[in-house]
């Protein structure tokens, strides 16, 4: 009664009680439709295409990934509320929607470990939480996959990515991630599903994948709430 659930789209109290999103607001989200890119999961325009333009231009180290919705103006507002207004409750809806829509993906990778993309400790202190970690924990409960929030760490605070091109983003993230010291001389998971809130050019997932594979992880996949257009 004191803290009623708010809608991740409009921000108003959700009705009917017990729902995670307003029924009318569900239609405002652009859920990724088929066909989609076999590598990053982005929506494709042509039925004959197998890969998006970004994945055709750039070699990817990760195996493949899936995303729930397109990163449009509605999604941008919702993700900003999660990160900057502490609307972590919105992740309940997004995690449930991902688990429901991509149940086959998690079943196929039931031996994988969910690893959230880490944020720098300074940003974690300022924000109070890592939205990717919060999403991973919720997905772990829903899919029964093990979550490891310690495997991957952020070692360098980088410049904001939003104004950089794809190649500049990857350079910006060079040496920004590392496998935690406790895993550097020990066994690492053979299969990892990276968890993040937003996939734009793929540079963050690519940088994390390279670090994980250098440490001995064989297969890296990813799941995200939003994905940008190609």
């Amino acid at each position: 009664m004191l803290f009623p659930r708010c809608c991740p789209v409009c921000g108003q109290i959700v009705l009917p009680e017990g729902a995670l999103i307003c029924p009318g607001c569900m239609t405002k989200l652009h859920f990724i439709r088929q066909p989609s890119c076999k590598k990053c999961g982005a929506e494709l325009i042509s039925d004959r295409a197998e890969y998006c333009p970004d994945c055709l231009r750039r070699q990817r180290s990760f195996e493949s990934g899936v995303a729930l919705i397109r990163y449009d103006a509605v999604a941008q507002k919702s993700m900003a509320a999660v990160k900057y207004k502490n609307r972590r409750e919105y992740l309940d809806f997004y995690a449930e929607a991902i688990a429901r829509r991509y149940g086959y993906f998690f079943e196929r990778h039931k031996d994988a470990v969910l690893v959230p993309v880490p944020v720098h400790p300074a940003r974690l202190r300022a924000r109070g939480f890592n939205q990717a970690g919060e999403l991973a924990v919720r997905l772990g409960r829903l899919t029964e996959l093990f979550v490891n929030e310690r495997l991957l760490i952020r070692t360098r605070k980088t410049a904001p990515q939003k104004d950089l091109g794809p190649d500049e983003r990857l350079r910006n993230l060079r040496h920004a991630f590392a496998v935690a010291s406790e895993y550097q001389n020990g066994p690492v998971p053979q299969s990892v599903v990276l968890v993040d809130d937003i996939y734009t050019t793929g540079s963050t997932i690519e940088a994390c994948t390279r670090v994980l594979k250098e440490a001995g992880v064989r297969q890296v996949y990813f799941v995200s709430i939003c994905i940008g257009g190609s």
Side-chain angles (χ1 to χ4, degrees):
M1 292 176 65
L2 293 176
F3 301 101
R5 180 175 292 279
C6 293
C7 173
V9 174
C10 71
Q12 301 301 308
I13 295 173
V14 176
L15 293 174
E17 187 177 344
L20 299 179
I21 187 173
C22 298
C25 287
M26 180 78 83
T27 61
K28 297 177 183 178
L29 295 171
H30 183 113
F31 289 91
I32 299 301
R33 297 186 292 257
Q34 296 300 319
S36 62
C37 176
K38 288 185 175 181
K39 183 61 72 169
C40 74
E43 202 171 283
L44 297 174
I45 297 174
S46 171
D47 290 339
R48 297 181 180 179
E50 292 187 332
Y51 299 97
C52 70
D54 275 356
C55 290
L56 285 173
R57 284 193 298 265
R58 295 178 180 85
Q59 186 173 357
R60 308 296 198 187
S61 300
F62 54 84
E63 272 58 49
S64 64
V66 293
L68 181 67
I69 58 176
R70 183 181 291 176
Y71 191 48
D72 56 15
V74 175
Q76 288 174 23
K77 183 179 178 181
S78 185
M79 293 299 100
V82 172
K83 288 193 279 191
Y84 308 122
K85 297 182 180 179
N86 198 14
R87 292 293 192 179
R88 282 178 270 183
E89 66 189 87
Y90 293 178
L91 297 174
D92 293 340
F93 164 72
Y94 290 119
E96 185 176 283
I98 289 170
R100 184 170 58 249
R101 178 168 286 238
Y102 294 116
Y104 68 89
F105 175 85
F106 295 105
E107 180 62 27
R108 186 183 301 159
H109 304 300
K110 59 185 177 182
D111 295 326
V113 173
L114 297 175
V115 176
V117 171
V119 295
H120 191 270
R123 186 163 295 169
L124 184 61
R125 286 192 297 271
R127 189 177 296 165
F129 65 97
N130 174 11
Q131 69 279 358
E134 295 277 342
L135 178 62
V137 168
R138 286 164 171 78
L139 285 173
R141 293 195 197 109
L142 293 166
T143 64
E144 299 184 349
L145 267 66
F146 181 74
V147 180
N148 189 328
E149 296 187 73
R150 302 190 313 273
L151 176 61
L152 203 58
I153 60 174
R154 189 84 175 230
T155 56
R156 189 165 65 88
K157 193 175 182 181
T158 55
Q161 295 273 85
K162 61 181 181 179
D163 296 324
L164 303 177
D167 295 331
E168 293 173 310
R169 286 180 180 226
L170 194 55
R171 283 194 295 271
N172 187 42
L173 291 168
R174 191 171 295 159
H175 309 304
F177 301 99
V179 168
S181 57
E182 61 188 288
Y183 293 99
Q184 288 177 1
N185 296 316
V188 294
Q190 292 300 293
S191 182
V192 161
V193 175
L194 287 165
V195 180
D196 207 2
D197 55 333
I198 304 166
Y199 177 109
T200 46
T201 64
S203 55
T204 299
I205 297 298
E206 178 65 25
C208 290
T209 298
R210 292 181 185 184
V211 167
L212 289 169
K213 289 199 169 182
E214 285 173 5
V217 176
R218 290 189 176 182
Q219 297 177 319
V220 179
Y221 304 88
F222 79 87
V223 60
S224 67
I225 297 173
C226 306
I227 190 164
S230 298

